[in-house]
Amino acid sequence: MVVKEIYQALATVCHDGLTAVIVEQDVAVAQRVSRRLYCMQEGRITLSGVSGELTREQISQAYFGV
């Protein structure tokens, strides 16, 4: 319930022109609430792009190496 409230508040904050960096392991949530998505593995960015344009396959490859 608290997480849902945080994401609702985040939408308002970002709509007002602020930028926020969110660390989220749930890919569906990360894609839904972000404009850009970055995958990191061992401290390195392995994938970046517009959230809605990245596929689950691309994200899995970048994050899991699968």
Side-chain angles (χ1 to χ4, degrees):
M1 185 169 160
V2 173
V3 172
K4 184 177 180 180
E5 289 178 21
I6 289 170
Y7 280 113
Q8 288 173 342
L10 179 64
T12 303
V13 169
C14 291
H15 185 274
D16 292 340
L18 297 174
T19 299
V21 175
I22 305 298
V23 177
E24 176 62 68
Q25 289 182 323
D26 185 328
V27 174
V29 171
Q31 282 190 292
R32 188 174 67 246
V33 302
S34 65
R35 291 185 188 151
R36 292 198 55 84
L37 189 132
Y38 297 86
C39 291
M40 294 184 73
Q41 188 176 46
E42 297 180 3
R44 295 189 180 124
I45 295 175
T46 56
L47 177 70
S48 67
V50 177
S51 298
E53 294 176 1
L54 296 174
T55 66
R56 293 281 239 176
E57 184 178 325
Q58 290 173 309
I59 295 167
S60 292
Q61 176 65 35
Y63 189 70
F64 300 112
V66 176

